[in-house]
Amino acid sequence: MSVAVDYEPVLLTHPGRAIAVSLKEYEAEDGYAGWRHALAKMTPDQVVEEVKASGLRGRGGAGFPTGNKWGFIPKAPGAKYVAVNADESEPGTFKDRELMEVEPHRVLEGIALCCYAIGAETAFIYIRGEYIEAADRLEAAIAEAEAANILGNGCLGSQLNVRVLVFRGAGAYICGEETALLESLEGRRPMPRSRPPFPAVEGLYRRPTVINNVETLANVPAIIDRGSGWYNSIGIPPRNTGPKIFCLSGRVNRAGNYELPLGAVTIRELIDDYGRGVIDGKAVKGVLTAGVSAPILTADKLETKLDYDSVQAAGSMLGSASLIVLDEDTCIVRAAALMEEFFRHESCGKCTPCREGTSWLLKVLSRIEAGRGVPADLDLLLSLSGEITGKVLCALGDFATSPVVATVKQYRDEYERHITGGACPFEQW
Ligand SMILES: Cc1cc2nc3c(=O)[nH]c(=O)nc-3n(C[C@H](O)[C@H](O)[C@H](O)COP(=O)(O)O)c2cc1C
Ligand code: SF4
C-alpha cells in the first residue's frame, strides 16, 4: 500500500460528519468570506475573470470551463437565472448529496457568487426527489442565511437581492440533462430541448440562464476568497486544476467520497489506499470512471491518473468521477445488460434511435447473457449502437451505447464464451 496524499480538503472539510455545518460554524471557518469580499471589493466581471483564471471545469460531467460559461451570459438588463443541477442520478454518484447534507452553506455561497457574477436575482436548486434530507437541510440553511441578511433582499447591506429556492424533482435521470431540467422547472415533461439556442441565451423562462452542478459551485467560494493563483496550485494547471470529489463504489472494501486534487492519484491508488482494496482480495476486471455513462477501462489502465485529460487519453471520460469497480468474478455481459436496462428505462422517448435502440440493445444483450446468442449478435450490437450515436438529441443516447461498444470491443472473449458455451460461465449473483 502506498501512502495517501497529504492534502487539506477544500470542499468536504468535515469528513465523516453526518450533520449539517451550521451558519455559525461555517462563518467561524471563514465561510462567506468570498461572498463578503466579492460584494465589497469586486465587480461582477472581476468575479467571472477570477473563475476563468482558476481553470475550474464543470463537475457535473462535461467538464466545461465554468468561467467561460458565466462569461456567455449577455450583459443586457432583464431577468437572468441560475439553475443548480442537484439531480445527481448517475449510478455510483453521491458527492453532491454529501455536499448538500453537510456543507449546505458552501453550496449557497457558490450560488450567491454565481448570481452576482451574472446579474441574477433568483437561483433554483433542482434537487432529485429522493434527496429529502439534503433538500430539508438546504432549506434550513437558506432560512439561516436570510435571517442573517447574507442572502435575500439587500444582502449584506448592499443593493443586491439574491433569492434561492429549492425545487424537488420527481426522480428521473433525464432531469439531470440541463435542458430537460429547465423543462421540468417550468412544469413540463422533462424532454431535452434542441440547441441552439443555448441556455446562456435562452434558458429558464426563455431568459439567459447558467446551469451548474452543485460541486462546481461549491468550488467557487474558495476561489474568490483565496484567489485563482492558490487554486492553480491544486491539481495540474491549466486544464486539470482544483479539488475533485471521487465517488468510489462497487467491489471495494470501503466505498465513499474521497476529495483529492485532480491528477494526484491513479485509479489503483484510489482503490487500494482509499477504498482499502477489492473485496476478498480479488483482481480488478474493469473500472467505470463516470458512472455508467462512459466506456469501461480494463485492468491494464489502473495506473491512469485521475484527471480529465489522463482518463480521456486512456479511452474514457472522468465525467462526474464516479468510479465503480468490477472484480474478476463479474460477468461483463450481465453488467452491460444491467447498464442498458437503466438507459432503456430512463430514455425520455423523444428520439426514435434512443427510444427503440436501447430496447433492442437490451434484448440482444439479454439473450447472449442467457446463452441464447449467436455469433452475429456481436456485430449486430455494434451496428445498432452506430444507429444511435450522434443521431439523437441529447447525450443520454450516446451514453447508452458506451456500455455495449466498450465491453464488446474489450471483453469480446467473454461474450463469445456465452455464445459458444450456451450459458453464462459466471456464478450468478
Ligand atoms: C442524461 C444526462 C444526465 C445528466 N445528469 C446530471 C446530473 O445529475 N447532475 C449534473 O450536474 N449534471 C448532469 N448532466 C450534465 C448537465 O447536462 C450539465 O452539463 C451540467 O449540469 C452542467 O454543469 P457543470 O458545468 O457545472 O458541470 C447530465 C447530462 C445528461 C446528458
Ligand atoms: S437521446 Fe434519448 S433521452 Fe435524449 S432526448 Fe433523445 S430520446 Fe430523450
Side-chain angles (χ1 to χ4, degrees):
M1 179 163 149
S2 51
V3 181
V5 175
D6 182 18
Y7 165 73
E8 185 79 28
V10 176
L11 306 172
L12 296 173
T13 54
H14 303 85
R17 180 166 164 143
I19 58 169
V21 173
S22 67
L23 175 60
K24 201 169 160 202
E25 284 174 281
Y26 186 61
E27 288 200 292
E29 295 167 5
D30 281 344
Y32 288 110
W35 180 223
R36 288 179 193 280
H37 176 74
L39 284 194
K41 304 228 161 74
M42 293 172 86
T43 64
D45 281 349
Q46 284 172 328
V47 174
V48 174
E49 289 310 314
E50 198 63 19
V51 175
K52 276 188 193 169
S54 75
L56 172 65
R57 292 172 64 175
R59 305 307 200 217
F64 192 83
T66 306
N68 292 5
K69 185 184 275 191
W70 294 9
F72 293 151
I73 297 291
K75 301 248 179 289
K80 291 154 195 169
Y81 295 102
V82 174
V84 183
N85 196 337
D87 192 58
E88 194 160 70
S89 303
E90 183 67 46
T93 312
F94 36 82
K95 63 190 178 64
D96 297 340
R97 176 182 178 173
E98 187 170 342
L99 277 169
M100 292 184 287
E101 285 186 357
V102 182
E103 307 277 355
H105 285 289
R106 192 178 314 286
V107 177
L108 292 179
E109 187 179 359
I111 296 170
L113 284 161
C114 180
C115 285
Y116 180 60
I118 68 157
E121 291 198 342
T122 309
F124 293 92
I125 304 177
Y126 186 98
I127 185 164
R128 61 179 291 172
E130 296 90 336
Y131 280 5
I132 295 165
E133 192 61 44
D136 289 350
R137 290 185 190 186
L138 279 169
E139 280 173 346
I142 292 167
E144 265 187 312
E146 283 181 351
N149 188 231
I150 290 169
L151 295 178
N153 290 339
C155 317
L156 297 173
S158 70
Q159 303 285 311
L160 211 71
N161 307 324
V162 173
R163 203 156 65 112
V164 183
L165 299 153
V166 176
F167 182 99
R168 298 172 197 232
Y173 179 60
I174 195 61
C175 291
E177 195 282 335
E178 57 185 24
T179 60
L181 182 152
L182 297 178
E183 288 288 295
S184 179
L185 261 180
E186 290 182 15
R188 280 188 294 276
R189 188 172 163 183
M191 284 180 155
R193 298 176 180 173
S194 50
R195 281 148 283 191
F198 290 93
V201 179
E202 228 176 78
L204 190 63
Y205 309 124
R206 307 190 71 173
R207 299 296 309 162
T209 302
V210 157
I211 302 152
N212 269 136
N213 169 260
V214 169
E215 185 189 354
T216 310
L217 292 166
N219 271 265
V220 176
I223 292 171
I224 300 303
D225 184 28
R226 303 195 212 177
S228 56
W230 162 82
Y231 194 82
N232 271 270
S233 70
I234 304 172
I236 309 170
R239 288 176 43 83
N240 296 277
T241 55
K244 180 78 196 82
I245 304 172
F246 297 96
C247 311
L248 182 64
S249 68
R251 302 292 294 163
V252 289
N253 284 310
R254 202 176 64 163
N257 283 322
Y258 299 101
E259 180 189 330
L260 289 161
L262 277 166
V265 296
T266 62
I267 299 174
R268 187 190 296 284
E269 286 165 341
L270 186 73
I271 294 171
D272 289 346
D273 300 349
Y274 295 85
R276 304 227 174 120
V278 179
I279 294 173
D280 295 334
K282 299 275 181 187
V284 172
K285 177 174 279 183
V287 179
L288 293 153
T289 51
V292 297
S293 296
I296 187 167
L297 291 179
T298 45
D300 58 326
K301 298 283 168 53
L302 291 184
E303 303 312 327
T304 305
K305 288 268 187 199
L306 283 166
D307 61 72
Y308 293 101
D309 291 346
S310 303
V311 176
Q312 197 170 346
S316 189
M317 303 269 289
L318 187 65
S320 52
S322 313
L323 288 96
I324 305 174
V325 178
L326 279 58
D327 73 11
E328 57 187 312
D329 292 341
T330 308
C331 169
I332 213 77
V333 181
R334 179 161 167 72
L338 283 172
M339 290 188 257
E340 203 52 47
E341 191 173 358
F342 171 77
F343 287 118
R344 185 197 57 80
H345 184 260
E346 299 295 340
S347 166
C348 82
K350 190 167 182 174
C351 325
T352 307
C354 172
R355 185 184 63 241
E356 301 297 324
T358 48
S359 287
W360 279 105
L361 286 173
L362 178 60
K363 254 182 214 173
V364 179
L365 285 168
S366 303
R367 76 170 174 237
I368 298 175
E369 190 207 346
R372 289 185 281 103
V374 292
D377 279 348
L378 300 187
D379 287 341
L380 180 60
L381 283 173
L382 295 178
S383 91
L384 274 172
S385 298
E387 295 306 323
I388 303 174
T389 311
K391 295 175 180 153
V392 287
L393 199 54
C394 88
L396 186 146
D398 298 331
F399 295 166
T401 63
S402 82
V404 180
V405 175
T407 57
V408 170
K409 286 191 174 155
Q410 300 182 112
Y411 301 90
R412 196 175 178 104
D413 57 318
E414 262 193 45
Y415 278 88
E416 287 168 349
R417 278 165 63 205
H418 282 77
I419 294 168
T420 52
C424 176
F426 292 89
E427 226 172 82
Q428 289 294 328
W429 29 268

